Amino acid sequence: MEAIPLVHASLGERELAAVAEVFASGWPAGQGPVGKRLEAQLASLYRVSDAVAVANCGAALHLALLALGVTPGDEVIVADYTFPAPAQAVRYLDAVPVFADVLPGTGTIDPQSVEDLVTERTVGVIAVDTVGLPADYTALQAIADRHGLFVVEDAACAVGATYQGAPAGALAQVGCLSFHGRKGATSGEGGALLAADAKIGADARRRSSFGIGSIFDMGNVVGLPIPTFTEVGFNFKLSDIAASILTVQLDRIGELLERRRTVAAAYGELLAGQELLTLPQVPPDRTHAWQSYLVTLDPGVDRAAVAARLRAQGIGCGHGTWATHLQPVFAARQHCPVSADLFARNLAIPMHAELTAAQVERVAEELISAVRAHAGGAVHALGGATAAAAR
């Protein structure tokens, strides 16, 4: 039985050749020449004032909040339906994450929920481009402007997506990217902070290297510069080894994203008409990066049983993402019913650029079969396209 993994990184000979060049250069560490080239590539691609390559998106979020002046006790409104990294970044600064519910159709942060949560202690909003779909930044920015708040875009899943023609990652004053192994562009781990204001980029770059900036740059100065530690910084640098992989991956992003879009379109056709499944919605003013493909199961379907059956057939699957307010670590006061419902009913099926048409068909067939077998009291109904896929 052929295994079909939930995720698979598209790495090959070009990436290996780029790593070999770094080995030969003698500078594999962070903030070296390849890292600087990557930052210039990102700044040009996203048309931002500065880009700072860092170890992961969590580090980028942490640095963003520091640069924006968040202090203990401040409230930051965060999108609830996501990996909990945004709320954790707020907690790193002893600030208070306040969880905003999401929209049922897209899973992105609900602007009305944000508006309802603003208090005199609110300083900003972290929106999330949910599993690759950008949030509604026009509405969010209007709220932020009305109340004097910052907006940070967590675009961890959305490299290659767009909103009203603009690239995800550059839709707010600060954007944070992830290059984790399941993303559209990957170096295994990695991230970047994108800043509309060069001062925020400079602040993040300094703090990302122990508060003293680039050792590589200092080594190129005539004489013997000795840095002085005047603030607490962090070791959030991205190695030049990882940066070299990303320079290739970003060159390939159009190709890789098109292959993911092909997979998503095929799922849409094969699963159309299935009354026990709701498929992802993409508003007409934006495009999806398809980091993940989430279907929403009917409430009567036993999700755990469906997942067990798929995995028994060698097909990877997952629960989707988290309703963060339900995680015990946050002891949240908010209730986000839409997020909680998606958390209970979403199912992630294989999505990556290496999937073949035959694999996509097999996933769809097995999913339909599993859902029908574990529907409980839900209505058993197959549309014409679904029935054809099941034969």
Side-chain angles (χ1 to χ4, degrees):
M1 182 188 303
E2 178 195 26
I4 305 178
L6 178 64
V7 298
H8 185 84
S10 298
L11 300 170
E13 294 299 323
R14 287 183 60 192
E15 288 83 359
L16 282 172
V19 170
E21 290 181 10
V22 174
F23 284 5
S25 76
W27 187 276
Q31 295 187 333
V34 180
K36 292 180 180 300
R37 187 161 75 242
L38 170 65
E39 290 179 341
Q41 184 181 11
L42 286 166
S44 174
L45 179 64
Y46 286 92
R47 299 180 182 177
V48 292
S49 295
D50 200 2
V52 183
V54 292
N56 50 66
C57 189
L61 288 165
H62 189 175
L63 293 169
L65 297 182
L66 283 166
L68 290 164
V70 175
T71 58
D74 287 343
E75 292 181 354
V76 180
I77 298 171
V78 299
D80 189 70
Y81 190 56
T82 182
F83 190 85
Q88 290 181 343
V90 175
R91 288 283 294 272
Y92 293 158
L93 303 183
D94 291 325
V96 180
V98 178
F99 300 100
D101 210 350
V102 297
L103 296 167
T106 62
T108 56
I109 190 168
D110 183 349
Q112 186 58 55
S113 180
V114 172
E115 180 76 64
D116 293 344
L117 291 169
V118 175
T119 72
E120 67 277 0
R121 294 172 59 192
T122 306
V123 296
V125 180
I126 303 178
V128 175
D129 299 337
T130 310
V131 300
L133 181 67
D136 184 353
Y137 287 92
T138 298
L140 292 171
Q141 193 60 59
I143 294 167
D145 291 345
R146 195 154 54 244
H147 297 284
L149 311 176
F150 65 73
V151 178
V152 170
E153 178 188 6
D154 181 341
C157 305
V159 172
T162 63
Y163 172 80
Q164 297 181 357
L171 303 175
Q173 64 193 107
V174 182
C176 299
L177 306 179
S178 172
F179 304 117
H180 177 268
R182 73 183 301 177
K183 311 304 181 186
T186 182
S187 51
E189 290 284 359
L193 180 148
L194 308 176
D197 184 344
K199 291 181 180 178
I200 289 177
D203 185 282
R205 182 174 289 102
R206 185 181 69 254
R207 292 180 194 267
S208 73
S209 184
F210 298 103
I212 57 173
S214 172
I215 298 297
F216 178 81
D217 285 347
M218 295 176 198
N220 291 323
V221 174
V222 176
L224 184 62
I226 301 175
T228 300
F229 293 83
T230 59
E231 63 183 328
V232 174
F234 307 89
N235 186 12
F236 287 162
K237 303 185 299 297
L238 183 72
S239 74
D240 265 30
I241 294 172
S244 70
I245 297 171
L246 283 171
T247 60
V248 175
Q249 287 274 289
L250 290 174
D251 279 342
R252 298 180 61 201
I253 191 62
E255 160 216 342
L256 296 175
L257 183 57
E258 185 56 36
R259 281 152 58 180
R260 286 177 180 257
R261 286 174 177 157
T262 299
V263 171
Y267 278 144
E269 292 178 4
L270 291 163
L271 298 172
Q274 169 59 279
E275 293 185 18
L276 301 178
L277 294 173
T278 301
L279 304 184
Q281 297 180 21
V282 182
D285 65 346
R286 62 201 87 171
T287 63
H288 206 305
W290 299 113
Q291 182 222 253
S292 302
Y293 193 94
L294 304 187
V295 296
T296 306
L297 304 182
D298 184 274
V301 175
D302 185 339
R303 182 177 63 170
V306 170
R309 179 163 172 157
L310 290 176
R311 289 176 176 176
Q313 297 298 317
I315 296 172
C317 58
H319 70 271
T321 193
W322 281 261
T324 309
H325 77 286
L326 297 179
Q327 304 311 306
V329 66
F330 299 112
R333 296 190 300 271
Q334 294 80 45
H335 178 49
C336 302
V338 176
S339 177
D341 181 58
L342 293 176
F343 180 46
R345 296 198 290 130
N346 272 171
L347 182 73
I349 59 177
M351 169 53 77
H352 52 82
E354 304 306 313
L355 285 167
T356 66
Q359 288 175 324
V360 172
E361 289 178 10
R362 182 173 158 231
V363 170
E365 291 171 0
E366 295 292 351
L367 175 62
I368 291 166
S369 178
V371 168
R372 293 181 71 188
H374 299 288
V379 176
H380 292 251
L382 289 171
T386 303
R391 285 197 293 268

